[in-house]
Amino acid sequence: MSSRELVVGVVGATGAVGREMLKVLEQRNFPAKEVRALASKRSAGTLLEFKGKKIKVEELVPDSFKGMDLALFSAGGSVSKKFAPIAAKDGCIVVDNSSAWRMDPEVPLVVPEVNPKDLEKHKNIIANPNCSTIQMVVPLKPIHDQARIKRIVVSTYQAVSGTGHKAIEELEKQVRALFNMQDVECNVYPYQIAFNCLPHIDVFLDNDYTKEEMKMVNETKKIIGDNSIKVTATTVRVPVFYGHSESVNIETEKKITAKEVRALLTQFPGVKVLDNPKEKIYPMPIFAAGEDDVFVGRIRDDDTIENGINMWIVADNIRKGAALNAVQIAEELLKRELIP
Ligand code: A2P
């Protein structure tokens, strides 16, 4: 890694992902000589903790990026659309967690275990993929390299933290209200999320899929770098605080057995295989929360097609699905000397 010490900004530092970004920068001892926290005017002046010291949240303004080397953005699509080009013009490299730039052909969309080389063509904006997509493509990459994946059918079980801190509060409040025989209030989600499942993440599109579902379809192809992979997704919000789960069925061109998949994944960085049905060992959000790895289990041959595999993938959506992946991108940029 380069010996350079950077001025790093976290945009959206008071949010669920922004707070985790600060935590991950600290835990991984990212080489920053200064870390700045930015958010909206509403929370300017709030104190956040970093490496045992208090840092004061600054209001995000167009001049915020002067003298800043790297900015990790997680303040929503409209903030990214407006401010990422301003930062980029000021020579600050942006790693953006929103969906604003992901499908822009000029912008690399990167999961460091999968397509780190794509960083080499960056023009100061790099997109961090959708949380459900990140955790799916990490274990699929070595399988694709070995057996070429033709088709993916995925159903997700996504935690409320993916929607942000207000959604975490909404689930907490609804659970408390229901245990006290009170009516629930729905502000973030259109229906009660406590003790329920909502087959609706992000907005519905003209084709009746949700935007989240189409993110999984389009981003998977871009990250793996193979437009011929067919992907179909159903994304569901479930009453879990941290950790997305996914049931994934793949069809490959070449035969690969469940046993071979298990062996491949055991070797692959960032993946931990938890797969021993007889001992009741399989991944679950309660184990994945707070962890860095993508956990894979329930790996089975799908005998209904010639070359098919089923698996169950779980990861902490705020860490590998967002903050950790963003910091890993920054580390990879340093390693490849792509930060001027
Ligand atoms: P703020 O606390 O000032 O509202 P989450 O995804 O958990 O809801 O967090 C969203 C993050 O994005 C928060 O840090 C929030 O800051 C920040 N944010 C939202 N709108 C803006 C804006 N217009 N300018 C800067 N930061 C924003």
Side-chain angles (χ1 to χ4, degrees), residues 12-16 39-40 42-43 60 74-75 79 163-165:
T14 53
S40 79
R42 289 180 292 274
S43 49
L60 175 66
S74 194
V79 171
T163 316
H165 73 278

Side-chain angles (χ1 to χ4, degrees), residues 184 196 222 241 249 257 263 291 301 313 323 327:
V184 297
N196 196 15
K222 180 166 174 178
F241 286 107
N249 176 269
T257 64
E291 297 290 325
D301 296 305
I313 303 172
V327 174

Side-chain angles (χ1 to χ4, degrees), residues 199 201 208-217 233-235:
I201 299 184
D208 288 347
Y209 282 79
T210 61
K211 197 168 166 195
E212 183 82 353
E213 287 159 353
M214 294 316 293
K215 284 176 202 164
M216 293 195 78
V217 172
T234 303
T235 57

Side-chain angles (χ1 to χ4, degrees), residues 1 42 60 122 147 190 204 223 236 256 259 265 320:
M1 199 171 282
R42 289 180 292 274
L60 175 66
H122 87 79
F204 282 102
I223 300 162
V236 181
I256 186 163
K259 201 169 160 213
L265 295 183
K320 184 57 187 168

